[in-house]
Amino acid sequence: MTKISVRPIRRDEIGEFAATGTDPKRIDDVTQYVEQMMKQGSIHREWCFVAVQGNRWVGRIAYWTLPKSGKPHAPVLLDLPWEQEQYLSIGAQLLQETLPLMRELGADQIGYVVDTPPMPPQWQRFPQERMKLLDHIGFRVERVTDRFEWQGEKSGLPGSKITFPSLARGGRSRLHRGDHAGFRTNAGSPYSG
């Protein structure tokens, strides 16, 4: 195996960085995400790294922060040749060389979220391989969770068990009196009085 080197990207390499390891159908999404995060101050170019083998980019990682925090919080855009056996050694080297740099910038803890199924804009495919890599270099699972999302009117509301009287039907006077019984549950619910 040819030696791997890790380095930050240059100013003129943002497009190539976004394309590395990205499904060709998703390159525009990822490029737009990187540019938007850089503009907000959530990703800094100096926090974007590539793993280079010979003259070929074989992996990438960027570190993300809250815009006003100034210190990295989480890796994003971690992509490697997940379908090849060497993904583990490339990924380990990429993380082992970049995590200490993030610590020097003030990161005392780094977290990573594996989205399943893959979600925009990062499109994290190969969740099992990602988890194996993270475990391999010392990350530990903090929690396993399911994420729910409500999309406003698109989602609709199922039959609600809570009713709120309109202000016109007496809700305003009850609120002014401090009578919170103006909010009631439908009959049959465990909270009906």
Side-chain angles (χ1 to χ4, degrees):
M1 180 169 93
T2 307
K3 184 180 179 210
I4 303 290
S5 62
V6 174
R7 68 169 178 81
I9 65 169
R10 295 186 305 263
R11 232 178 267 294
D12 62 336
E13 295 177 325
I14 293 171
E16 189 176 353
F17 175 80
T20 299
T22 302
D23 179 331
K25 295 178 287 199
R26 309 271 189 235
I27 292 173
D28 289 342
D29 288 347
V30 174
T31 302
Q32 185 177 4
Y33 170 72
V34 170
E35 290 171 349
Q36 179 185 355
M37 292 295 102
M38 285 182 171
K39 186 176 181 180
Q40 285 179 205
S42 293
I43 293 177
H44 301 265
R45 184 183 51 79
E46 304 80 34
W47 299 0
C48 298
F49 299 89
V50 290
V52 182
Q53 186 175 39
N55 61 355
R56 202 170 59 95
W57 290 14
V58 293
R60 68 156 186 221
I61 192 170
Y63 288 87
W64 176 91
T65 188
L66 295 169
K68 295 188 180 186
S69 167
K71 64 181 182 179
H73 291 284
V76 293
L77 301 173
L78 172 60
D79 277 294
L80 301 165
W82 299 110
E83 296 174 290
Q84 298 174 19
E85 190 175 311
Q86 65 184 23
Y87 84 86
L88 197 57
S89 62
I90 294 170
Q93 184 173 344
L94 185 58
L95 284 160
Q96 288 167 344
E97 288 191 30
T98 60
L99 284 169
L101 298 172
M102 299 303 103
R103 181 169 296 226
E104 288 174 16
L105 293 170
D108 50 0
Q109 181 177 341
I110 295 285
Y112 187 80
V113 175
V114 177
D115 285 328
T116 55
M119 301 291 296
Q122 296 181 45
W123 304 107
Q124 298 174 329
R125 297 176 304 147
F126 306 100
Q128 296 303 318
E129 289 80 358
R130 289 172 189 279
M131 289 186 274
K132 183 176 179 179
L133 169 64
L134 294 168
D135 184 63
H136 177 73
I137 63 158
F139 279 71
R140 296 293 170 246
V141 174
E142 184 177 297
R143 70 180 179 271
V144 177
T145 185
D146 291 315
R147 178 183 278 174
F148 294 83
E149 181 177 274
W150 182 71
Q151 296 184 356
E153 291 186 20
K154 281 179 27 182
S155 297
L157 283 175
S160 176
K161 293 186 185 254
I162 299 175
T163 59
F164 300 94
S166 71
L167 294 178
R169 289 186 48 222
R172 178 174 288 149
S173 63
R174 288 179 179 162
L175 283 173
H176 286 284
R177 286 195 319 251
D179 177 6
H180 298 290
F183 299 96
R184 65 179 192 277
T185 59
N186 288 339
S189 81
Y191 303 106
S192 59

